[in-house]
């Protein structure tokens, strides 16, 4: 057996280890060749390497709740557990400044404070287990908001999708619907429905998820429907240009196991029931409005519906009615002659240009030409005009005194 100089040998409890000088023991056979997997290819942001577990440490059983791809990797408020008596080596390359976690359990010990984690990083095992340009940081704090917290893996979304597609054949499966939906945080398009909820400070994510599971998702007619619900941040756009700011919202993704033309139809029915429930009880649940988008195998394109809560609808209607009454009152007073509006004359830019082009003269420097449009003197002196007769016209503008000599 050959071990690298920086290798680590992990033995189970009660196991023994001996070393010999190489002398042959008749009780031992020649043994076999052991091949180890390539540990360098294990990446932190590979969703296929992680599994959700219960607080007891047991694997979480399958059910109607699933997670979008970015949330299949540990989020900033999750607890990470590496099973004791196991060896691992994981690449933590990341686009984030820090990969934040609430706690890490490794080598049988739970590290849930920054100080304890810093101490472990200074030991001999951490450099062998974690490598890459990323930085793991343990905070010891959970999500402080009852409306939920965003996962925080958006910057590493391309890494997550690349690892996921590499494991599944480097391309997304062909969806049964023509215009699949693209949920935030998910790598491939899906058939079914998505709901985006605007919420108030009274909204409780965990309570609302439990309500949906108990009252709707557990009904037999929705068998085969799965739901993912979480808080996400949607980038804002202005005139088609992405802005740096984002809007928090609650995203619900519904998919089903139907095929062909029926793909997504059960999820569509559940989405409609959720929207109807929001219209009735959204105010009490802390939901201000909801927007639904659907893509099924029987529809050529997604269908979008927006359902505001009754309080917002009533406020909008009352505001419109008040505005109409106000304008109607002004019109009534104006026609009765009790209201007058001052007559204002707005000078347009071209008016100003005309004024500038033809200003009034400060002094009259012009003159009237007395010879303009005046009939000349009658030259008819009879049939015969003497050749030496001369006709003169006086120039009223001529001044002999101004003539230079």
């Amino acid at each position: 057996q050959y071990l690298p100089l920086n290798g680590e040998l992990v033995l189970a409890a009660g196991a023994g280890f001996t070393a010999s000088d190489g002398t042959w023991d008749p009780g031992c056979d020649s043994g076999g060749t052991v091949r180890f997997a390539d540990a360098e290819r294990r990446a932190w942001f590979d969703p296929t390497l992680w599994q959700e577990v219960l607080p007891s440490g047991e694997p979480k059983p399958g059910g109607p709740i699933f997670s979008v791809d970015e949330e299949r990797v540990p989020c900033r408020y999750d607890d990470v557990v590496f099973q004791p008596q196991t060896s691992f080596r994981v690449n933590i390359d990341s686009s984030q400044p820090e990969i934040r976690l609430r706690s890490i359990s490794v080598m049988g010990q739970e590290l849930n404070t920054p100080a304890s984690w810093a101490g472990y990083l200074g030991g001999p095992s951490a450099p062998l287990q974690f490598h890459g340009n990323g930085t793991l940081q343990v905070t010891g704090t959970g999500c402080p908001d009852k409306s939920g917290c965003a996962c925080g893996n958006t910057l590493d979304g391309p890494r997550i999708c690349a690892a996921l597609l590499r494991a599944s054949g480097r391309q997304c499966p062909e969806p049964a619907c023509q215009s699949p939906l693209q949920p935030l945080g998910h790598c491939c398009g899906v058939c079914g429905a998505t709901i985006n909820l605007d919420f108030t400070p009274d909204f409780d994510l965990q309570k609302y998820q439990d309500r949906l599971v108990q009252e709707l998702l557990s009904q037999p007619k929705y068998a085969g429907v799965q739901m993912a619900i979480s808080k996400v941040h949607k980038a804002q756009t202005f005139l088609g240009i992405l802005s740096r700011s984002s809007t928090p919202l609650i995203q619900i993704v519904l998919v089903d196991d139907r095929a062909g033309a029926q793909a997504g139809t059960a999820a569509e029915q559940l989405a409609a029931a959720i929207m109807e429930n929001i219209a009735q009880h959204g105010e009490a649940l802390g939901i201000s409005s909801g927007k639904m988008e659907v893509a099924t195998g029987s529809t050529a394109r997604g269908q979008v519906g927006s359902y505001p809560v009754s309080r917002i609808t009533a406020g909008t209607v009352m505001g419109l009615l008040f505005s109409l009454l106000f304008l109607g009152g002004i019109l009534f007073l104006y026609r009765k002659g009790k209201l007058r509006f001052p007559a204002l004359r707005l000078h347009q830019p071209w008016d100003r240009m005309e004024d500038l082009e033809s200003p009034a003269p400060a002094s009259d420097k012009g003159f009237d030409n007395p010879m303009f449009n005046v009939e000349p003197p009658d030259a008819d002196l009879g049939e015969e005009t003497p050749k030496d007769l001369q006709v003169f016209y006086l120039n009223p503008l001529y001044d002999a005194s101004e003539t230079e000599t």
Side-chain angles (χ1 to χ4, degrees), residues 315-330:
T316 304
V317 173
M318 291 299 295
L320 292 175
L321 290 177
F322 178 80
S323 300
L324 291 176
L325 290 175
F326 180 74
L327 293 176
I330 292 178

Side-chain angles (χ1 to χ4, degrees), residues 293-310:
E293 189 172 358
V294 176
T296 66
S298 59
T299 58
R301 58 186 303 174
Q303 301 174 353
V304 179
S306 182
Y307 298 81
V309 176
S310 57

Side-chain angles (χ1 to χ4, degrees), residues 93-180:
D93 285 344
S94 174
S95 299
Q96 307 176 42
E98 290 181 337
I99 305 174
R100 293 178 174 270
L101 305 166
R102 182 167 69 173
S103 69
I104 296 181
S105 296
V106 60
M107 303 288 290
Q109 55 180 330
E110 181 181 358
L111 308 171
N112 54 16
T113 63
S116 62
W117 175 245
Y120 183 79
L121 290 178
S125 298
L128 303 177
Q129 296 165 336
F130 304 102
H131 69 99
N133 61 11
T135 302
L136 293 176
Q137 180 62 45
V138 172
T139 63
T141 58
C143 177
D145 194 344
K146 66 178 183 179
S147 66
C149 294
C151 179
N153 286 333
T154 303
L155 292 178
D156 285 301
R159 296 178 185 272
I160 295 173
C161 293
L164 189 64
L165 296 179
R166 183 171 57 248
S168 61
R170 297 185 180 277
Q171 62 181 358
C172 292
E174 187 68 24
C177 48
Q178 298 182 14
S179 301

Side-chain angles (χ1 to χ4, degrees), residues 349-359:
W350 46 86
D351 294 337
R352 298 191 189 99
M353 291 179 63
E354 292 178 357
D355 295 341
L356 292 175
E357 291 176 356
S358 57

Side-chain angles (χ1 to χ4, degrees), residues 36-42:
F36 292 91
D38 184 7
E40 299 295 330
R41 297 188 60 183
R42 299 294 186 263

Side-chain angles (χ1 to χ4, degrees), residues 371-391:
M371 308 306 299
F372 176 73
N373 201 19
V374 177
E375 292 291 338
D378 191 2
D380 189 7
L381 301 179
E383 296 181 359
E384 295 182 359
T385 303
K387 296 181 180 179
D388 58 347
L389 181 61
Q390 297 180 356
V391 179

Side-chain angles (χ1 to χ4, degrees), residues 235-244:
Q236 295 181 346
T237 59
F238 179 73
L239 299 178
I241 302 176
L242 286 177
S243 174
R244 290 186 178 182

